[in-house]
Amino acid sequence: MYELGVVYRNIRRADAAVTGDLGRFGSATVHEAMGRVGLLQPYMRPIFSGAQVSGTAVTVLLHPGDNWMMHVVAEQIRPGDIVVAAITAPCTDGYFGDLLATSLQARGALGLVIDAGVRDVKTLKEMNFPVWSKAISSKGTIKATVGSVNIPVVCAGMLITPGDVIVADDDGVVCVPAANAEKTRDAAAAREANEGEKRAKLASGILGLDMYKMREPLEKAGLRYID
Amino acid sequence: MYELGVVYRNIRRADAAVTGDLGRFGSATVHEAMGRVGLLQPYMRPIFSGAQVSGTAVTVLLHPGDNWMMHVVAEQIRPGDIVVAAITAPCTDGYFGDLLATSLQARGALGLVIDAGVRDVKTLKEMNFPVWSKAISSKGTIKATVGSVNIPVVCAGMLITPGDVIVADDDGVVCVPAANAEKTRDAAAAREANEGEKRAKLASGILGLDMYKMREPLEKAGLRYID
Amino acid sequence: MYELGVVYRNIRRADAAVTGDLGRFGSATVHEAMGRVGLLQPYMRPIFSGAQVSGTAVTVLLHPGDNWMMHVVAEQIRPGDIVVAAITAPCTDGYFGDLLATSLQARGALGLVIDAGVRDVKTLKEMNFPVWSKAISSKGTIKATVGSVNIPVVCAGMLITPGDVIVADDDGVVCVPAANAEKTRDAAAAREANEGEKRAKLASGILGLDMYKMREPLEKAGLRYID
Amino acid sequence: MYELGVVYRNIRRADAAVTGDLGRFGSATVHEAMGRVGLLQPYMRPIFSGAQVSGTAVTVLLHPGDNWMMHVVAEQIRPGDIVVAAITAPCTDGYFGDLLATSLQARGALGLVIDAGVRDVKTLKEMNFPVWSKAISSKGTIKATVGSVNIPVVCAGMLITPGDVIVADDDGVVCVPAANAEKTRDAAAAREANEGEKRAKLASGILGLDMYKMREPLEKAGLRYID
Amino acid sequence: MYELGVVYRNIRRADAAVTGDLGRFGSATVHEAMGRVGLLQPYMRPIFSGAQVSGTAVTVLLHPGDNWMMHVVAEQIRPGDIVVAAITAPCTDGYFGDLLATSLQARGALGLVIDAGVRDVKTLKEMNFPVWSKAISSKGTIKATVGSVNIPVVCAGMLITPGDVIVADDDGVVCVPAANAEKTRDAAAAREANEGEKRAKLASGILGLDMYKMREPLEKAGLRYID
Amino acid sequence: MYELGVVYRNIRRADAAVTGDLGRFGSATVHEAMGRVGLLQPYMRPIFSGAQVSGTAVTVLLHPGDNWMMHVVAEQIRPGDIVVAAITAPCTDGYFGDLLATSLQARGALGLVIDAGVRDVKTLKEMNFPVWSKAISSKGTIKATVGSVNIPVVCAGMLITPGDVIVADDDGVVCVPAANAEKTRDAAAAREANEGEKRAKLASGILGLDMYKMREPLEKAGLRYID
């Protein structure tokens, strides 16, 4: 359960260089590098395609239909952050539009991940401010109830602690705990090291069956070929 | 419950100039200007992005898997109308394709809002005929049962009366009752009047917390800062 | 129920020329030409818009969270095939990414239809390798359990037999049984024969009501006009 | 779109005797008798099984997460009414529990139909106060914003006018417009008149194929028998 | 894709004694005994709890909103059959009520599995005619289009061939291919053989960890205990 | 993100007497007493109605389709606990049946809350072992991958820490943090103190409008009565 009505000003952010490296690998590679955990549910989709970002999470907990705390979290942003917004109950309202995006971008935020809806998506695309959300909705929100900023939140089924690394692209959104960032970066780099070679082999027509030496284990597992 | 088997030829359309003005504000601003009502459910999505239109509603009620009445409504269209199609039970079939779009466009329709599916979406985009729908589906429909034209219908959860103003863009679809169109237009204009100034302030790094004088009410609401 | 652990090497593919013809008509016309059957459920969406392909189905049955058999099916592909992937239980994991796409493309596959998720969608688009899927997800899969290749499978609610024709575009995915391919091609051609003329008439403002002579049957069905 | 902030004190209720008759037929028969329209979406389910009621609709429009107007509608209830509650946007909160049920029951209400959630369902069952709802949820609501009472509302996809007849049982909820109540009652009675005879024939093993004389039309429709 | 307009009169039913045996094990045990395949999707729920049946499948393919073929399948029922109904496109209409149940029961059917809706559920319970369905809905259907009887169908995601064994209870619905029925029965019997002993041990407080000797493999898999 | 492969043996459980008190209030009252937070998503439903329990949470994190850790958590149960099971990705498989229930009950567990499926529900009801789950499914699981026990988990959208109080009944499942248990118990008691008096007044026909003195605030909020 959540602590309500608090703003934590000091959070320990993951290392900036490592955070940047993780973004270059993309969400699928990072997710593999962590042992296939850390992925937010796949209903979280980018509002426009092509963006690929990484940043440190500043979190905000909002109430259904109420975006008051978006203004509170704006003050806590440092350049390189990504705002992660969770709601206390399922909601598809449009919590966020071009004015808030202008404010977040001015504060140095690189994007928004929100388990609810956003609006002004045409303008957000023109501003190149990427958002991953559950919905797009014109429905506005009120400013009546306080939530919290920079507490651990559950966003799209994933627990996200302030300072964690967020990696987001067209494939989805992954959260890397700050403590695991460097280890994950190294594992991702190792994964990618020989991808070029593999791709070249596969492009030449060599089968994964042979490249990965799968024929024997498949036979052991009982696979039979029938002519 | 619906009156079946009737076509109302004479409907009172909202003023054309006001209808046009509302379209320029977009669905999010218009929705706010009406007091946050009038939005069709957010599952209604444009089949291609970037369109922003407004028009007066001509309505059609169809049966599941039957698009016969689409031809009946075509005759009732006047330039500047948007066709609003409701179905008597949930259905995702593709009621509408490029031939019908050709007909509607020839009659002066500016778009279609349909609580079901459409097809030929590639061609519709080339024709620049915007559609907001619940689904995209190749599944065709039959022509067997009569519905109605220009009766009040429920489309995507919203009651729409013939002649109402429809405002639709990438954020969704809003319905403005004809009687409220002028008032809503003025309220939307007032909302937008100082948006440019606000945007400039936020872009300069001024926080919404200060610009909207939220610090005191947030403190009163119990918000605490922790270092 | 499915036969597990088998790979059928020899399947009877639909005629290549007919398969190509069907693709040019698109999924909506083909679906109509078959008597409005054969459509996979409309939740199957292209990962990028604009692709329109047809090919002969090679099928693969996979287990939830396990993409091992994707490497097995790769070997069975012949140029002009489309891979159709079914899962033994609902799953949204990302079974397929750029490496596998490189392999399938090298073997001559024209696309993938998968009742689950895919990833690396940005790269897949750059490679122009079209995919129709239920989800996009970074979540990777393991390689632990054998399924089958080239058995009849149920994909997105439709029974698909190896060698059937798959027609896929922005409107969805249709399956034409190999035995019906020629007949369906002819029926589709007949449908399209006078589409240009119809389109011209409708574009000139002639109503479908008159062009299709619907006024009398509508009146018989009880439709009344009210002024 | 809805008129907000109004309570209509005087509504024209359907005839009480006809309303009672309709309840005895049940929702399926009444739905058929109206020509297969009037059914609320099937996600509306009873919180306990076995209840079968009919009553005249008093309507209330509520905001998401706000049940203030439930107290306002309570005053407008007359014995034999059923409260029909619509929400301005999708919500599953528990708007209604045992205290409100006590109040509604004391006023003579026979049940509640609500396009949202309810709670205290164990107690509601003990009180024998039937509810048809979209959800069951412990989540409470606030009392902050006014809606309306006795305006036409859209509940679970159906337009309901105050005074209409509501028929609800384990099969679902149907709305009969007050103006059609008598006609529908008569049609339902005609439907049921020879049901007993039909049931006896079918129970004796006579097939519907013969009883309804379907063999010839099926053959004409192309049905073939294969041994 | 389906063959339309045909009724196969002769199907090979699984052995009656084996079919009966399978029913006594229940769907969960049978599903395990087949290697964890054969389960219809879990959205298929019983309309009343407590029924546990097995029978041989007679299949029927219906069109959305059209139950004409239910009367055709009735004639093909033999005592001990379970009717399995598939629809050519998703639909929640109430295809089946007390009259049809009377007919099916008179013909010897033990139940119905339908990937759509049913109605008259209160009466069906009184008749003790069990149904597993996707929905409950008052919405009736028409009789206009022919489908097929006793062709292989896809019901709730599972391919079902006429004559297969259907096992259904409160946990769901499983399909056992006729050819595998005896083998599955034996495997299920073996599974249950020592269940009583296991249950007694677990009831005495012995842990599965010890009974199944899991401590060593868990440690090998890396599990650590922290005090 | 989760720590994998660990079992915490020592957790601080909420006070047993307070835990028991909270159960008597039920989930709706407790949810209100906490300020309307702490509720698991309403898709969590009891597998049989009428159970009302409270207990201290022991948590288990499982992988999709793998119930190995259920045996590990069994050992960590103390009398009065409720097992809370989270899955690393959405899954509806039947993780839990009568054998595991026998084991958990023997260890003193009062129930199970699982964000996935269960089976053997008929037997679980006979054993009076209550379960709140997302699904019921015959589909079994494997035992291949380690998760964790007694780490904080996200179950049905709510963060649950080992030792927290779980209150579950027909209305849903609420989590009370151990640190807030006493305060919440007192707030719940205060809420209930004068419920009997309120109920009596409402039962006598007194309106909530008068009992709660709502007429003036409603008028101020703009509510108008129309005759």
Side-chain angles (χ1 to χ4, degrees), chain C residues 27-45:
Chain C
S27 68
T29 296
V30 169
H31 175 257
E32 290 285 350
M34 281 201 293
R36 280 193 294 278
V37 292
L39 184 68
L40 280 69
Q41 287 206 18
Y43 64 69
M44 295 296 283
R45 298 298 305 142

mmCIF file of all heavy atoms in Angstrom, chain C residues 27-45:
data_model
loop_
_atom_site.group_PDB
_atom_site.id
_atom_site.type_symbol
_atom_site.label_atom_id
_atom_site.label_comp_id
_atom_site.label_asym_id
_atom_site.label_seq_id
_atom_site.Cartn_x
_atom_site.Cartn_y
_atom_site.Cartn_z
ATOM 1 N N SER C 27 -7.505 -8.421 -48.485
ATOM 2 C CA SER C 27 -8.228 -9.312 -47.585
ATOM 3 C C SER C 27 -9.738 -9.091 -47.618
ATOM 4 O O SER C 27 -10.520 -10.039 -47.493
ATOM 5 C CB SER C 27 -7.704 -9.164 -46.153
ATOM 6 O OG SER C 27 -8.023 -7.894 -45.626
ATOM 7 N N ALA C 28 -10.194 -7.860 -47.784
ATOM 8 C CA ALA C 28 -11.640 -7.606 -47.737
ATOM 9 C C ALA C 28 -12.334 -8.229 -48.936
ATOM 10 O O ALA C 28 -13.355 -8.914 -48.798
ATOM 11 C CB ALA C 28 -11.912 -6.096 -47.678
ATOM 12 N N THR C 29 -11.783 -8.020 -50.116
ATOM 13 C CA THR C 29 -12.401 -8.596 -51.321
ATOM 14 C C THR C 29 -12.354 -10.121 -51.276
ATOM 15 O O THR C 29 -13.338 -10.797 -51.626
ATOM 16 C CB THR C 29 -11.686 -8.065 -52.576
ATOM 17 O OG1 THR C 29 -11.881 -6.649 -52.649
ATOM 18 C CG2 THR C 29 -12.213 -8.721 -53.847
ATOM 19 N N VAL C 30 -11.244 -10.676 -50.845
ATOM 20 C CA VAL C 30 -11.116 -12.127 -50.780
ATOM 21 C C VAL C 30 -12.104 -12.712 -49.770
ATOM 22 O O VAL C 30 -12.743 -13.740 -50.008
ATOM 23 C CB VAL C 30 -9.664 -12.534 -50.440
ATOM 24 C CG1 VAL C 30 -9.574 -14.014 -50.107
ATOM 25 C CG2 VAL C 30 -8.743 -12.188 -51.614
ATOM 26 N N HIS C 31 -12.235 -12.031 -48.649
ATOM 27 C CA HIS C 31 -13.186 -12.491 -47.636
ATOM 28 C C HIS C 31 -14.615 -12.510 -48.191
ATOM 29 O O HIS C 31 -15.371 -13.471 -47.981
ATOM 30 C CB HIS C 31 -13.077 -11.579 -46.409
ATOM 31 C CG HIS C 31 -14.075 -11.853 -45.342
ATOM 32 N ND1 HIS C 31 -15.192 -11.083 -45.135
ATOM 33 C CD2 HIS C 31 -14.136 -12.846 -44.434
ATOM 34 C CE1 HIS C 31 -15.882 -11.580 -44.136
ATOM 35 N NE2 HIS C 31 -15.276 -12.638 -43.687
ATOM 36 N N GLU C 32 -14.973 -11.480 -48.914
ATOM 37 C CA GLU C 32 -16.298 -11.456 -49.560
ATOM 38 C C GLU C 32 -16.425 -12.577 -50.585
ATOM 39 O O GLU C 32 -17.458 -13.251 -50.664
ATOM 40 C CB GLU C 32 -16.521 -10.107 -50.272
ATOM 41 C CG GLU C 32 -16.711 -8.925 -49.342
ATOM 42 C CD GLU C 32 -18.089 -8.894 -48.676
ATOM 43 O OE1 GLU C 32 -18.969 -9.679 -49.059
ATOM 44 O OE2 GLU C 32 -18.252 -8.104 -47.744
ATOM 45 N N ALA C 33 -15.353 -12.763 -51.359
ATOM 46 C CA ALA C 33 -15.418 -13.746 -52.444
ATOM 47 C C ALA C 33 -15.595 -15.168 -51.917
ATOM 48 O O ALA C 33 -16.058 -16.056 -52.630
ATOM 49 C CB ALA C 33 -14.153 -13.652 -53.301
ATOM 50 N N MET C 34 -15.217 -15.384 -50.671
ATOM 51 C CA MET C 34 -15.378 -16.719 -50.086
ATOM 52 C C MET C 34 -16.717 -16.882 -49.398
ATOM 53 O O MET C 34 -16.991 -17.913 -48.788
ATOM 54 C CB MET C 34 -14.263 -16.992 -49.085
ATOM 55 C CG MET C 34 -12.963 -17.381 -49.773
ATOM 56 S SD MET C 34 -11.916 -18.272 -48.618
ATOM 57 C CE MET C 34 -11.559 -16.949 -47.482
ATOM 58 N N GLY C 35 -17.559 -15.875 -49.435
ATOM 59 C CA GLY C 35 -18.856 -15.976 -48.767
ATOM 60 C C GLY C 35 -18.768 -15.509 -47.326
ATOM 61 O O GLY C 35 -19.519 -15.957 -46.463
ATOM 62 N N ARG C 36 -17.837 -14.597 -47.089
ATOM 63 C CA ARG C 36 -17.650 -13.977 -45.760
ATOM 64 C C ARG C 36 -17.250 -14.986 -44.690
ATOM 65 O O ARG C 36 -17.758 -14.973 -43.576
ATOM 66 C CB ARG C 36 -18.893 -13.210 -45.333
ATOM 67 C CG ARG C 36 -18.981 -11.843 -45.991
ATOM 68 C CD ARG C 36 -20.015 -10.970 -45.338
ATOM 69 N NE ARG C 36 -21.358 -11.486 -45.527
ATOM 70 C CZ ARG C 36 -22.079 -11.290 -46.613
ATOM 71 N NH1 ARG C 36 -21.611 -10.559 -47.604
ATOM 72 N NH2 ARG C 36 -23.270 -11.806 -46.710
ATOM 73 N N VAL C 37 -16.338 -15.847 -45.035
ATOM 74 C CA VAL C 37 -15.695 -16.704 -44.028
ATOM 75 C C VAL C 37 -14.179 -16.629 -44.242
ATOM 76 O O VAL C 37 -13.707 -16.071 -45.216
ATOM 77 C CB VAL C 37 -16.145 -18.175 -44.146
ATOM 78 C CG1 VAL C 37 -17.610 -18.326 -43.774
ATOM 79 C CG2 VAL C 37 -15.883 -18.724 -45.529
ATOM 80 N N GLY C 38 -13.432 -17.175 -43.311
ATOM 81 C CA GLY C 38 -11.990 -17.290 -43.478
ATOM 82 C C GLY C 38 -11.169 -16.206 -42.803
ATOM 83 O O GLY C 38 -9.939 -16.244 -42.827
ATOM 84 N N LEU C 39 -11.835 -15.255 -42.136
ATOM 85 C CA LEU C 39 -11.110 -14.137 -41.541
ATOM 86 C C LEU C 39 -10.590 -14.485 -40.155
ATOM 87 O O LEU C 39 -11.330 -14.991 -39.308
ATOM 88 C CB LEU C 39 -12.047 -12.929 -41.426
ATOM 89 C CG LEU C 39 -11.431 -11.641 -40.907
ATOM 90 C CD1 LEU C 39 -10.446 -11.071 -41.903
ATOM 91 C CD2 LEU C 39 -12.518 -10.621 -40.607
ATOM 92 N N LEU C 40 -9.328 -14.239 -39.898
ATOM 93 C CA LEU C 40 -8.811 -14.342 -38.541
ATOM 94 C C LEU C 40 -9.403 -13.208 -37.723
ATOM 95 O O LEU C 40 -9.787 -12.169 -38.252
ATOM 96 C CB LEU C 40 -7.283 -14.275 -38.535
ATOM 97 C CG LEU C 40 -6.576 -15.596 -38.892
ATOM 98 C CD1 LEU C 40 -6.772 -15.988 -40.336
ATOM 99 C CD2 LEU C 40 -5.093 -15.510 -38.556
ATOM 100 N N GLN C 41 -9.450 -13.396 -36.411
ATOM 101 C CA GLN C 41 -10.102 -12.384 -35.580
ATOM 102 C C GLN C 41 -9.427 -11.019 -35.748
ATOM 103 O O GLN C 41 -8.213 -10.922 -35.910
ATOM 104 C CB GLN C 41 -10.089 -12.817 -34.119
ATOM 105 C CG GLN C 41 -11.082 -13.957 -33.888
ATOM 106 C CD GLN C 41 -11.577 -14.005 -32.469
ATOM 107 O OE1 GLN C 41 -11.463 -13.038 -31.723
ATOM 108 N NE2 GLN C 41 -12.121 -15.132 -32.077
ATOM 109 N N PRO C 42 -10.239 -9.958 -35.675
ATOM 110 C CA PRO C 42 -9.693 -8.639 -36.000
ATOM 111 C C PRO C 42 -8.688 -8.092 -34.984
ATOM 112 O O PRO C 42 -8.145 -7.019 -35.201
ATOM 113 C CB PRO C 42 -10.933 -7.744 -36.098
ATOM 114 C CG PRO C 42 -12.035 -8.486 -35.451
ATOM 115 C CD PRO C 42 -11.695 -9.948 -35.505
ATOM 116 N N TYR C 43 -8.430 -8.816 -33.895
ATOM 117 C CA TYR C 43 -7.348 -8.332 -33.007
ATOM 118 C C TYR C 43 -5.982 -8.554 -33.649
ATOM 119 O O TYR C 43 -4.976 -8.040 -33.143
ATOM 120 C CB TYR C 43 -7.435 -8.967 -31.612
ATOM 121 C CG TYR C 43 -7.235 -10.458 -31.518
ATOM 122 C CD1 TYR C 43 -5.998 -11.058 -31.764
ATOM 123 C CD2 TYR C 43 -8.285 -11.291 -31.153
ATOM 124 C CE1 TYR C 43 -5.823 -12.426 -31.659
ATOM 125 C CE2 TYR C 43 -8.125 -12.669 -31.046
ATOM 126 C CZ TYR C 43 -6.894 -13.219 -31.297
ATOM 127 O OH TYR C 43 -6.705 -14.575 -31.195
ATOM 128 N N MET C 44 -5.930 -9.277 -34.727
ATOM 129 C CA MET C 44 -4.661 -9.459 -35.445
ATOM 130 C C MET C 44 -4.362 -8.195 -36.250
ATOM 131 O O MET C 44 -5.073 -7.885 -37.211
ATOM 132 C CB MET C 44 -4.748 -10.670 -36.372
ATOM 133 C CG MET C 44 -4.927 -11.996 -35.653
ATOM 134 S SD MET C 44 -3.540 -12.460 -34.584
ATOM 135 C CE MET C 44 -2.365 -13.008 -35.822
ATOM 136 N N ARG C 45 -3.317 -7.477 -35.878
ATOM 137 C CA ARG C 45 -3.033 -6.197 -36.524
ATOM 138 C C ARG C 45 -1.615 -6.191 -37.090
ATOM 139 O O ARG C 45 -0.711 -6.816 -36.544
ATOM 140 C CB ARG C 45 -3.183 -5.047 -35.518
ATOM 141 C CG ARG C 45 -4.589 -4.894 -34.942
ATOM 142 C CD ARG C 45 -5.653 -4.571 -35.996
ATOM 143 N NE ARG C 45 -5.310 -3.393 -36.753
ATOM 144 C CZ ARG C 45 -5.535 -3.244 -38.084
ATOM 145 N NH1 ARG C 45 -6.114 -4.191 -38.771
ATOM 146 N NH2 ARG C 45 -5.178 -2.148 -38.702
#
